[in-house]
Amino acid sequence: MVVMDTAAAPAPAARRAQGLHADIETLPREALQQLQLQRLRETVRNAWDHVPWHQQRLRAAGLGDPRDIDALDALQRLPFMVKTDLRDNYPFGLFARPLHELARLHASSGTTGKPTVVGYTAQDLSNWSDLVARSMHSAGARPGDLVHNAYGYGLFTGGLGAHDGAARLGCPVVPISGGATERQVALIMDFRPRVLCATPSYALAIAEVAESQGVDLRNSALRVGLFGAEPWSEAMRREIEARMGLRAVDIYGLSEIMGPGVACECEARCGLHGWEDHFLFETIDPDTGEPVPEGEPGELVITTLTKQALPMLRYRTRDITRLTREPCACGRTHVRILRVTGRNDDMLIIRGVNVYPSQIEAVLVGRPGLAPHYQLVLERHGALDSVRLEIEALPSVPEAQYPLLAADAAHHIKSMIGISADLHVLPPGAVPRSQGKAVRVRDLRPKAAAAG
Ligand code: DLL
């Protein structure tokens, strides 16, 4: 009898058993790249044949024919796409299928001007459901689990995206959407869902309302939380886990590329697996557009490989992250996207120091006496921009202690991030709560100054 040392290296069959799409999720890199090349060619062909805008730009970049895509490296020769390309072609100019062949539209509201409209064929929706189901499974959800879906339904991709994915996994869904937080608490206790889908900030708002009602969510049946749609920190993860008694998992996505489920953490929670059978991931220097070495921070650039209605070539997400293709403990071979720490356009420059709100969150959340609710307020005094940081105290802290807490927090921000913050500790409830994505930065600067 042959005895194998399974402790050192689990047998591939045992590892493969873990994923929902086990064979694809553990596909060796060479096979994955072959699949990617074939799909990249089809995607460029689709864009070239059906979207005049693409063909013109590809020609201008020196591509004579989609067949010139003979290796994955050829991607580097293609021009980048940016959000304004979608706005400039509003509403349907970049669609590669006529409207009557589509099954659904979604849209994301920009901070200015027209929304970004995205379209899906029935096949696109089916692939999306598969990827959300795969993501939920890798996060720990299982067929039959009841899913409480507090992502907003409607044009936002979170609600329907998570809904269809859960259904594809074989889960019944409570389509509660965001808002009516007291009712959310009651239904979580009464229906006993095992899985919660929400933005991390809204999950905390649910926990807070539960606590104010004397309900301990740690006694609920919630075990897995799929949180995304906004940057959040490890400190926030610990906070949510402690208050809800579940395992908090990071899920990433964006409407321009698909919606939730572009990437998701597995049980190892060492980065989010970007599903490479459907997307190509690169990181670039945001200033030069040159690729950055693996492991270095850069702007995430994504190319879709299977989208029919809206093929996207080298889309600059503005999200800052790092990629690694080092083997993951779970056995999946797909690239890992390390936590998205913020967006390029979220970045504040405070007296010359680049700062992301998530960095401030990482320092503040979990500090004694402080609640995880904060906002950065940008103001302009004369010619100078100033930043005020408002954070709430825990209900147990007497108001007399606020100045002391503020001084202590400001000291930590100075030593960890290098900026002197004008820090104000406020009473509980003073920072507005969101039902979807949290608004972390309130920009009160005059319009012209804020735009610059
Ligand atoms: O937020 C899709 C989504 C819904 C993802 C539900 C996860 C869960 P958009 O509204 O188009 O789509 O916003 C996309 O949100 O470019 C990131 O800046 C940010 N974002 C999304 N997920 C994460 C995450 C949806 N896990 C934009 N961590 C993206 C950090 C995230 N930022």
Side-chain angles (χ1 to χ4, degrees):
M1 193 177 94
V2 181
V3 179
M4 288 175 61
D5 182 6
T6 47
R15 282 192 282 155
R16 273 207 302 271
Q18 293 173 353
L20 181 65
H21 307 139
D23 290 344
I24 282 283
E25 289 173 53
T26 57
L27 205 61
R29 182 134 297 272
E30 212 169 284
L32 197 51
Q33 287 180 335
Q34 266 173 22
L35 180 68
Q36 289 180 320
L37 177 57
Q38 175 210 325
R39 291 182 167 179
L40 177 63
R41 272 207 204 102
E42 288 163 8
T43 298
V44 174
R45 163 67 67 196
N46 182 28
W48 178 282
D49 285 350
H50 299 116
V51 188
W53 183 88
H54 274 299
Q55 187 178 132
Q56 191 198 334
R57 281 183 13 125
L58 291 169
R59 279 188 192 281
L63 198 76
D65 187 283
R67 276 175 298 213
D68 293 352
I69 305 286
D70 49 4
L72 282 177
D73 290 356
L75 185 71
Q76 311 270 321
R77 300 204 304 268
L78 307 186
F80 292 115
M81 291 178 73
V82 291
K83 198 172 180 90
T84 46
D85 293 335
L86 286 154
R87 293 224 183 95
D88 294 347
N89 290 283
Y90 177 85
F92 309 141
L94 295 187
F95 287 6
R97 293 289 181 278
L99 201 60
H100 68 265
E101 285 182 26
L102 301 193
R104 199 194 291 164
L105 300 177
H106 278 284
S108 67
S109 50
T111 41
T112 52
K114 304 233 184 257
T116 306
V117 185
V118 295
Y120 306 77
T121 62
Q123 183 61 50
D124 290 335
L125 289 181
S126 178
N127 288 342
W128 183 14
S129 298
D130 275 340
L131 288 183
V132 174
R134 185 195 290 179
S135 299
M136 287 183 160
H137 189 277
S138 82
R142 288 294 174 267
D145 285 349
L146 183 61
V147 175
H148 182 101
N149 185 15
Y151 283 122
Y153 280 65
L155 288 175
F156 175 53
T157 53
L160 284 169
H163 184 111
D164 289 349
R168 178 62 56 90
L169 182 58
C171 297
V173 187
V174 182
I176 188 148
S177 196
T181 312
E182 283 89 2
R183 198 151 70 105
Q184 305 250 0
V185 173
L187 296 193
I188 287 173
M189 297 315 283
D190 295 347
F191 294 178
R192 300 193 62 73
R194 186 171 177 272
V195 179
L196 171 65
C197 297
T199 59
S201 55
Y202 191 55
L204 265 186
I206 295 176
E208 188 180 40
V209 167
E211 285 157 17
S212 73
Q213 294 176 333
V215 174
D216 190 345
L217 287 179
R218 290 171 302 179
N219 297 330
S220 75
L222 289 177
R223 291 296 170 270
V224 178
L226 278 130
F227 302 125
E230 63 187 9
W232 54 307
S233 59
E234 283 304 315
M236 186 77 112
R237 168 148 43 208
R238 286 192 295 273
E239 181 84 26
I240 296 173
E241 291 191 332
R243 291 167 72 169
M244 294 195 132
L246 49 64
R247 194 173 160 79
V249 176
D250 197 358
I251 182 166
Y252 169 84
L254 61 166
S255 42
E256 296 91 320
I257 294 300
M258 181 177 79
V262 171
C264 189
E265 285 180 326
C266 61
E267 58 271 30
R269 298 198 299 184
C270 288
L272 295 79
H273 288 285
W275 303 123
E276 287 189 274
D277 49 332
H278 290 270
F279 310 104
L280 281 173
F281 298 92
E282 307 169 73
T283 33
I284 60 161
D285 178 325
D287 296 325
T288 64
E290 291 301 317
V292 300
E294 214 174 279
E296 299 283 315
E299 180 179 340
L300 185 64
V301 173
I302 308 180
T303 298
T304 63
L305 292 175
T306 52
K307 286 269 292 292
Q308 296 179 327
L310 186 57
M312 296 290 282
L313 302 174
R314 302 195 87 196
Y315 181 65
R316 290 185 61 158
T317 64
R318 299 260 160 214
D319 291 323
I320 302 297
T321 184
R322 292 177 286 143
L323 298 182
T324 174
R325 291 187 171 82
E326 294 284 307
C328 180
C330 72
R332 289 179 183 82
T333 49
H334 294 229
V335 66
R336 275 174 293 151
I337 300 172
L338 302 185
R339 189 181 270 289
V340 170
T341 46
R343 290 173 60 81
N344 207 7
D345 45 11
D346 265 3
M347 193 179 77
L348 307 169
I349 303 180
I350 303 175
R351 292 193 194 110
V353 183
N354 295 353
V355 183
Y356 290 101
S358 59
Q359 280 178 290
I360 292 183
E361 174 178 311
V363 175
L364 291 184
V365 173
R367 290 211 68 71
L370 294 180
H373 304 289
Y374 68 95
Q375 236 179 14
L376 287 151
V377 185
L378 305 185
E379 287 173 328
R380 171 159 278 223
H381 298 293
L384 282 183
D385 286 347
S386 73
V387 181
R388 193 171 71 232
L389 179 53
E390 299 180 344
I391 182 156
E392 281 178 22
L394 290 175
S396 55
V397 175
E399 238 176 294
Q401 278 186 25
Y402 289 4
L404 214 67
L405 278 181
D408 176 64
H411 167 77
H412 277 87
I413 288 190
K414 174 81 186 161
S415 65
M416 311 280 285
I417 307 178
I419 57 163
S420 304
D422 176 20
L423 210 140
H424 295 256
V425 173
L426 304 180
V431 172
R433 305 292 188 263
S434 81
Q435 298 171 1
K437 298 182 191 242
V439 180
R440 298 299 190 197
V441 179
R442 215 162 73 226
D443 196 339
L444 303 181
R445 293 174 298 177
K447 271 277 176 303

